[in-house]
Amino acid sequence: MSGAGDLRELYQEVILDHGKRPRNFRTLPDADRQAEGYNPLCGDRETIYLKLDGDVVRDASFQGAGCAISTASASMMTERLKGKNRAEAEALFERFHDLITGGHNAPPDGPALGKLEVFSGVREYPVRIKCATLPWHTMKAALSEDGRTISTEDGAEASPRDEPKAR
Ligand code: ZN
């Protein structure tokens, strides 16, 4: 029988694997949507790219630099998003957010998290919660509004949100 300790080790292995060898770690030249996310508390910075076909995510990828948790979260999120429509992607966001924060916002009949449950251990490390949820918040921003930079620290002085983009 495997105890909670073994399970925790397995979870850590999955996260470390995705953190070291992230899937979908590339730009998406023909992306329809993209958004940048920034977590100043840790220094994680990720751009999420989405290729949409109508309402359905055909391809998803990310680029950037971050800690193992934020990288693994983006890696597993982009894997999971492919083939999902917007409503399904947002339902997954709610489930994932509930898992990490211990909240109860997702409808009980929502999609199963499956492999994404490896992040349940992050709940025990509050400082890491924003690392794990950063790519998800960024994905949501990409779906709703193109080209936005979101920060986990709303109102942070360093936020480039209100500055016009130099091109
Ligand atoms: Zn981080």
Side-chain angles (χ1 to χ4, degrees):
M1 294 293 282
S2 62
D6 296 334
L7 196 59
R8 197 167 297 154
E9 264 176 42
L10 171 72
Y11 283 4
Q12 279 171 3
E13 264 176 45
V14 173
I15 289 174
L16 283 176
D17 176 49
H18 278 266
K20 278 185 198 154
R21 299 187 302 115
R23 284 40 153 201
N24 307 308
F25 188 72
R26 54 188 161 83
T27 58
L28 212 54
D30 59 346
D32 300 297
R33 302 290 182 90
Q34 70 182 68
E36 188 185 9
Y38 179 46
N39 173 15
L41 293 185
C42 180
D44 308 312
R45 197 182 280 277
E46 292 175 338
T47 302
I48 304 288
Y49 301 92
L50 301 174
K51 171 73 184 160
L52 301 179
D53 180 3
D55 200 29
V56 177
V57 177
R58 281 293 163 226
D59 204 359
S61 72
F62 77 105
Q63 278 270 283
C67 65
I69 298 275
S70 65
T71 302
S73 182
S75 172
M76 294 183 73
M77 180 191 77
T78 49
E79 273 193 327
R80 186 62 191 272
L81 282 178
K82 290 178 196 178
K84 299 282 181 291
N85 66 30
R86 184 178 174 147
E88 289 167 333
E90 286 178 353
L92 268 176
F93 169 93
E94 296 295 347
R95 288 300 293 266
F96 188 80
H97 201 262
D98 281 1
L99 174 80
I100 303 288
T101 62
H104 302 280
N105 294 314
D109 58 345
L113 283 171
K115 274 168 64 182
L116 294 171
E117 289 194 10
V118 296
F119 287 96
S120 61
V122 171
R123 219 174 353 192
E124 294 167 39
Y125 307 94
V127 73
R128 290 297 188 192
I129 288 174
K130 284 170 178 169
C131 302
T133 56
L134 177 68
W136 289 84
H137 282 291
T138 310
M139 175 274 287
K140 225 180 148 190
L143 274 179
S144 62
E145 194 181 330
D146 193 24
R148 195 158 67 115
T149 298
I150 64 135
S151 172
T152 55
E153 305 307 299
D154 277 340
E157 281 176 34
S159 171
R161 192 172 41 194
D162 298 327
E163 290 170 16
K165 272 187 182 164
R167 286 189 190 273

